[in-house]
């Protein structure tokens, strides 16, 4: 019964500490909170405050110890217990021993500075003249979640400041991509190319940067680099560097609000700038849909850097024309052509387009739109250009890369021939 009461008390006072941690987080401090208790009575509470008080010692535990000492009128806190949401550091652990704290109860472990067992264990040092019992793991998940969410928000804010958003553009929040399957790669961004005018362009960059040949994968309407997720591992395994940008207006790239922004000339020039800034040569461009048109334009724009163009020419299927002035569901468009598409994959194609405001590129490149790019009736073959067709590969219509490794192996056979 005594143990049950003790656990009940621990949960109660740890929740009070969590409330203090939330106050700290709301003030921009690392969310850690502490409570000092004696005989079931709260003597002092504290939350992290080193930033706003300009005091490096103002950790939650120290603030709570000071409040408890003031309440008792004594710097000795004999018989007191301290509850804190994060494993104490060496400074706080030392202060607790000096204050004669009887018992320390903490929530989440701190693998970097924890002084109750994670890095060192001050409380287990028998050479010290006072000892306190330290127990961890009480509401650990709740305590750790506060810290995880706080630092995730800080990282997102840092990224936002590093790549400020233009007033005439939108940026899909990172959380919208949380459920995207089979897309484990780290994002890369660029916004300092003059043609971008401060817009942030996202791209994948996988494989060895020192590879002799780079494969540049260009998507078209209404997809993004997710389209190439099944091909990237095979191409990297074959020893190639693979770069797959999201055209501005698609995927994780910024999305200008006006459809008129999305001309072929702009997208061609932005890709030229990307190729030149990355110092790429002997580039094989693999294009799907509008990406094929861009591939051919790039071969003419920077011929000395392009080693080949492969257009993934679809075996056309009947496709619903949709309504040009109304943004389509990108996932539904792909699903019309790829019957085996899962719900998660369909969600992934639609993920970048949060609402109608994010869909200017979809409206601009819609096949029925006046701003849709003109399509060549056939591949404009040159000495380096080849075509892979759905007829020779798989029945996946416009979205040939969904065939995955089958397309990759055919592509490798062309490149290596």
């Amino acid at each position: 019964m005594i143990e049950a009461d003790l656990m009940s008390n621990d949960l109660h006072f740890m929740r009070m500490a969590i409330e203090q941690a939330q106050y700290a987080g709301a003030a921009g401090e690392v969310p850690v909170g502490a409570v000092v208790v004696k005989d079931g009575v709260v003597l002092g509470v504290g939350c992290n405050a080193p930033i706003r008080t300009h005091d490096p010692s103002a950790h939650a535990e120290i603030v709570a110890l000071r409040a408890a000492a003031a309440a008792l009128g004594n710097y000795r806190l004999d018989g007191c217990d301290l509850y804190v949401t994060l494993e104490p550091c060496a400074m706080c652990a030392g202060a607790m021993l000096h204050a004669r704290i009887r018992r320390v109860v903490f929530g989440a472990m701190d693998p970097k500075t924890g002084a109750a067992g994670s890095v060192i264990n001050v409380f287990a040092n028998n050479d010290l003249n006072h000892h306190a019992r330290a127990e961890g793991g009480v509401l650990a998940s709740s305590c750790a979640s506060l810290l995880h969410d706080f630092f995730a928000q800080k990282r997102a804010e840092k990224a936002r400041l590093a790549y400020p958003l233009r007033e005439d553009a939108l940026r899909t929040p990172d959380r919208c991509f949380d459920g995207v399957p089979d897309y484990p790669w780290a994002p890369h961004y660029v916004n300092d190319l003059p043609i971008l005018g401060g817009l942030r362009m996202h791209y994948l960059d996988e494989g060895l940067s020192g590879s002799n040949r780079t494969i540049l994968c260009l998507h078209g309407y209404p997809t993004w680099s997710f389209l190439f997720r099944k091909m990237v591992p095979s191409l990297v395994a074959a020893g190639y560097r693979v770069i797959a940008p999201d055209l501005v207006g698609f995927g994780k790239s910024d999305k200008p609000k006006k459809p008129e922004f999305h001309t072929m000339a702009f997208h061609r020039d932005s890709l030229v700038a990307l190729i030149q800034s990355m110092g790429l040569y002997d580039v094989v461009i693999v294009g799907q849909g509008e990406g094929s048109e861009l591939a051919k334009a790039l071969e003419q724009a920077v011929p000395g850097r392009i080693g080949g163009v492969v257009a993934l020419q679809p075996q056309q299927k009947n496709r619903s024309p949709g309504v040009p002035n109304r943004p389509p569901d990108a996932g539904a468009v792909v699903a019309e052509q790829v019957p085996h598409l899962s719900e998660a994959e369909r969600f992934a194609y639609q993920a970048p387009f949060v609402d109608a405001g994010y869909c200017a590129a979809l409206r601009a490149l819609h096949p029925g739109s006046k701003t849709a790019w003109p399509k060549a009736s056939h591949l404009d073959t040159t000495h380096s250009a080849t075509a892979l067709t759905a007829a020779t590969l798989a029945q996946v219509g416009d979205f040939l890369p969904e065939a995955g490794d089958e397309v990759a192996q055919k592509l490798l056979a062309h490149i290596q021939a």
Side-chain angles (χ1 to χ4, degrees):
M1 185 66 179
I2 294 177
E3 290 185 2
D5 290 342
L6 185 63
M7 177 57 70
S8 177
N9 287 337
D10 286 350
L11 295 175
H12 172 70
F13 292 123
M14 186 60 74
R15 290 190 181 101
M16 292 184 64
I18 288 174
E19 185 177 3
Q20 290 295 314
Q22 291 169 335
Y23 293 150
E29 303 275 1
V30 175
V32 179
V35 177
V36 176
V37 179
K38 184 174 184 180
D39 299 328
V41 178
V42 175
L43 298 179
V45 299
C47 62
N48 256 7
I51 298 174
R52 63 182 184 274
T53 61
H54 312 292
D55 180 359
S57 70
H59 287 195
E61 302 96 308
I62 302 296
V63 175
L65 288 171
R66 288 171 177 163
L72 287 179
N74 193 337
Y75 75 101
R76 298 293 195 195
L77 302 179
D78 293 299
C80 292
D81 299 336
L82 187 145
Y83 294 83
V84 60
T85 57
L86 181 66
E87 181 182 359
C89 68
M91 175 185 73
C92 293
M96 293 173 202
L97 295 181
H98 280 296
R100 301 298 191 262
I101 288 292
R102 177 182 64 182
R103 179 168 171 259
V104 179
V105 181
F106 63 90
M109 305 294 289
D110 185 351
K112 293 184 177 180
T113 63
S118 289
V119 178
I120 58 174
N121 195 340
V122 173
F123 301 103
N125 190 329
N126 293 324
D127 293 331
L128 298 175
N129 67 337
H130 177 73
H131 301 95
R133 184 155 50 102
E135 301 172 11
V138 177
L139 297 180
S141 178
S142 298
C143 296
S145 293
L146 283 174
L147 293 161
H148 176 273
D149 294 346
F150 175 82
F151 286 112
Q153 183 177 354
K154 287 292 184 181
R155 287 191 294 271
E157 179 67 11
K158 184 178 180 180
R160 186 186 68 79
L161 294 175
Y163 300 100
L165 181 62
R166 280 176 32 167
E167 291 184 359
D168 62 344
L170 296 170
R171 180 173 296 165
T172 306
D174 289 342
R175 66 177 181 276
C176 294
F177 299 96
D178 287 347
V180 170
D182 303 322
Y183 194 85
W185 303 290
H188 298 269
Y189 298 103
V190 61
N191 73 337
D192 58 354
L193 304 178
I195 184 65
L196 294 178
L199 291 169
R200 188 182 77 170
M201 176 187 282
H202 166 260
Y203 61 95
L204 297 180
D205 188 355
E206 296 299 315
L208 299 176
S209 59
S211 298
N212 292 330
R213 173 163 280 182
T214 298
I215 298 178
L216 180 65
C217 298
L218 300 180
H219 69 85
Y221 167 93
T223 67
W224 54 291
S225 54
F226 177 75
L227 175 69
F228 297 100
R229 71 197 180 284
K230 296 180 181 179
M231 294 176 57
V232 170
S234 298
L235 300 178
V236 170
Y240 295 103
R241 182 182 185 182
V242 180
I243 296 174
D246 291 333
L247 300 180
V248 170
F250 295 86
K252 296 185 177 183
S253 292
D254 284 350
K255 297 167 180 65
K257 299 175 184 178
K258 295 184 177 180
E260 295 77 13
F261 189 94
H262 297 282
T263 65
M264 179 184 284
F266 167 78
H267 289 288
R268 176 201 63 207
D269 293 346
S270 63
L271 290 171
V272 167
L274 181 66
I275 291 171
Q276 292 174 336
S277 69
M278 297 181 74
L280 302 180
Y281 287 90
D282 196 16
V283 178
V284 173
I285 307 177
V286 179
Q288 168 265 333
E290 286 73 13
S292 296
E293 305 302 319
L294 283 171
K296 290 174 274 183
L298 288 171
E299 188 177 35
Q300 296 176 5
V302 283
R305 295 175 180 265
I306 308 303
V309 171
V310 179
L312 302 180
Q313 301 288 80
Q315 178 177 347
Q316 294 293 341
K317 296 184 179 183
N318 293 327
R319 184 167 64 184
S320 172
V323 182
N325 63 352
R326 188 176 303 166
D329 180 325
V333 173
V334 179
E336 285 183 7
Q337 301 287 308
V338 189
H340 62 269
L341 203 68
S342 70
E343 282 301 313
E345 290 169 328
R346 177 170 172 167
F347 157 81
Y349 279 115
Q350 182 60 23
F353 309 109
V354 179
D355 58 38
Y358 291 75
C359 296
L362 292 184
R363 291 193 292 270
L365 273 61
H366 190 284
S369 171
K370 294 180 180 179
T371 53
W373 299 352
K375 297 288 194 302
S377 59
H378 62 282
L379 179 65
D380 182 16
T381 56
T382 68
H383 69 282
S384 60
T386 58
L388 299 182
T389 68
T392 62
L393 291 166
Q395 304 299 312
V396 288
D398 288 346
F399 307 105
L400 201 57
E402 277 291 343
D405 186 62
E406 186 179 7
V407 177
Q409 295 306 321
K410 291 282 187 178
L411 175 60
L412 290 169
H414 275 268
I415 294 173
Q416 297 167 350

